[in-house]
Amino acid sequence: MASLDGAGAGATTQVQDYHLALVPKMVRDHLPHATIITFWHIPWPNPESFGICPWAREILEGMLGSTILGFHTPYHCQNFMATVDRFLEARITQEDQSVSFMGQRTQVRDYPISIPWHPAADDALSRAQSDQSALRESMGLSPEHRLA
């Protein structure tokens, strides 16, 4: 971990994706007080599917070196926490979505990948549809008549 040699105690590092699953624990071992943020870019499987992996324990322990562990959906977060519950002796706290393992607390959060639809856009769409209906009615056009 030569790249971490100059990092201070309060360093922050970000780990991206599945091919680096062991890195958070490696960083944590080298910098115990660092903030380590990991994002997992692929769906997390259910515990039964994950259980066939011969390195399941190592992967979980590696990821739990993170301070914050992010997934795309709440469903993937729940799958991860259920997997940890099944394969490791860890304390799972559903209320704040955290896992405590070997003295380290990891917050498990969802960070959706898409841009949320703004409610104002729904209002604008409704107004446009209402205006189109009024125009059709004033011109004596059927609802099937398309307006450009």
Side-chain angles (χ1 to χ4, degrees), residues 75-126:
Y75 180 72
H76 299 156
C77 293
Q78 290 304 316
N79 275 353
F80 177 79
M81 292 174 65
T83 301
V84 169
D85 193 37
R86 171 90 46 97
F87 296 103
L88 299 178
E89 288 193 34
R91 184 168 43 105
I92 310 290
T93 308
Q94 295 293 339
E95 295 77 28
D96 68 351
Q97 287 187 282
S98 68
V99 176
S100 295
F101 179 71
M102 305 212 35
Q104 167 66 35
R105 182 173 177 266
T106 301
Q107 296 176 338
V108 180
R109 299 289 187 267
D110 64 287
Y111 300 98
I113 59 171
S114 62
I115 299 170
W117 186 260
H118 193 279
D122 289 336
D123 293 341
L125 183 59
S126 294

Side-chain angles (χ1 to χ4, degrees), residues 66-77:
S66 305
T67 308
I68 300 172
L69 177 57
F71 294 92
H72 287 299
T73 69
Y75 180 72
H76 299 156
C77 293

Side-chain angles (χ1 to χ4, degrees), residues 4-147:
L4 297 175
D5 287 340
T12 299
T13 187
Q14 188 171 15
V15 179
Q16 293 283 329
D17 227 344
Y18 63 92
H19 53 283
L20 300 173
L22 305 180
V23 170
K25 182 180 182 314
M26 293 173 171
V27 173
R28 177 73 55 217
D29 290 345
H30 195 75
L31 296 171
H33 302 290
T35 299
I36 304 165
I37 303 165
T38 304
F39 191 80
W40 192 262
H41 287 273
I42 58 175
W44 190 267
N46 61 41
E48 294 78 19
S49 297
F50 187 78
I52 66 171
C53 177
W55 308 282
R57 184 174 185 84
E58 290 84 356
I59 290 171
L60 293 172
E61 288 179 0
M63 293 174 71
L64 289 173
S66 305
T67 308
I68 300 172
L69 177 57
F71 294 92
H72 287 299
T73 69
Y75 180 72
H76 299 156
C77 293
Q78 290 304 316
N79 275 353
F80 177 79
M81 292 174 65
T83 301
V84 169
D85 193 37
R86 171 90 46 97
F87 296 103
L88 299 178
E89 288 193 34
R91 184 168 43 105
I92 310 290
T93 308
Q94 295 293 339
E95 295 77 28
D96 68 351
Q97 287 187 282
S98 68
V99 176
S100 295
F101 179 71
M102 305 212 35
Q104 167 66 35
R105 182 173 177 266
T106 301
Q107 296 176 338
V108 180
R109 299 289 187 267
D110 64 287
Y111 300 98
I113 59 171
S114 62
I115 299 170
W117 186 260
H118 193 279
D122 289 336
D123 293 341
L125 183 59
S126 294
R127 284 193 307 274
Q129 290 170 335
S130 176
D131 291 347
Q132 288 174 349
S133 293
L135 181 60
R136 279 190 197 96
E137 187 176 321
S138 72
M139 298 182 75
L141 301 173
S142 72
E144 292 81 29
H145 193 97
R146 299 237 178 237
L147 299 175

